[in-house]
Amino acid sequence: LPDAPKDISNHPKSGSVVDPVVKADKDADVDRKIRLYGVIEAFRQVRMPDNKQIDETLLYVKNTSPVDIDQLSPDGRKLIQDARDIIETARLMVQEKNADELFQNFVWHTRDVDVSHAKKDPNEVLPVDKDKAKDDGQTGEILLSDAPSDCS
């Protein structure tokens, strides 16, 4: 369909509208919303983004301001710059501290863990007597002596 003409006069032309929709803008908006829904649905299924996706998102958030920075006061500009510095620090943390994506793997592998058995009333837990603690200590020493030298 052709774009509808804008006409806000007292006697508008046939087929005109007050606020025409720009197809490219509408398509971009729909695409953004579908992507956001996809991200939300992935989190519902306990799927985590990989480091590349995290990096791309943090870069987008850092480089895209929701407000016109030129219209902000000096304090407002400083606040935006501080937020950008925090986002950049988060990017560096993901790159350096989570390079092997251990966090995502941990979440994925623990998604179906049943913790109901771990929730014990302290009164239900059996006390450890002195002999049991001593036996456990000796077992630990034996295991350590059998371990390769680079593990101890």
Side-chain angles (χ1 to χ4, degrees):
L1 292 174
D3 289 339
K6 180 176 182 176
D7 189 357
I8 54 172
S9 65
N10 288 338
H11 302 287
K13 298 176 192 173
S14 176
S16 65
V17 294
V18 175
D19 189 17
V21 174
V22 178
K23 185 168 178 11
D25 292 347
K26 182 188 82 159
D27 290 345
D29 187 46
V30 169
D31 184 56
R32 260 192 315 275
K33 289 175 182 174
I34 289 173
R35 286 175 187 254
L36 177 62
Y37 177 75
V39 169
I40 292 169
E41 190 59 30
F43 278 122
R44 284 183 182 157
Q45 296 175 9
V46 195
R47 294 183 186 267
M48 300 293 291
D50 61 22
N51 284 356
K52 182 180 178 220
Q53 292 169 320
I54 293 171
D55 189 60
E56 289 171 355
T57 301
L58 290 175
L59 271 176
Y60 175 81
V61 170
K62 178 183 159 197
N63 295 330
T64 307
S65 178
V67 295
D68 184 8
I69 296 173
D70 296 333
Q71 294 181 355
L72 295 176
S73 68
D75 287 340
R77 288 189 198 110
K78 180 165 177 18
L79 179 64
I80 294 291
Q81 186 56 47
D82 289 346
R84 287 179 173 165
D85 291 342
I86 291 169
I87 293 167
E88 182 61 25
T89 302
R91 279 189 63 235
L92 293 174
M93 286 173 55
V94 169
Q95 291 171 359
E96 294 173 10
K97 302 293 184 183
N98 193 38
D100 50 3
E101 299 189 358
L102 281 177
F103 181 73
Q104 290 96 325
N105 289 331
F106 171 78
V107 171
W108 177 255
H109 290 292
T110 58
R111 70 191 184 282
D112 295 325
V113 172
D114 180 16
V115 294
S116 64
H117 301 298
K119 296 178 183 176
K120 296 284 184 183
D121 182 5
N123 297 326
E124 292 179 17
V125 177
L126 299 175
V128 178
D129 63 358
K130 190 174 183 179
D131 294 332
K132 174 70 173 146
K134 197 175 211 180
D135 289 343
D136 288 348
Q138 289 173 348
T139 303
E141 288 174 5
I142 292 171
L143 290 174
L144 275 177
S145 66
D146 291 343
S149 61
D150 61 342
C151 291
S152 52

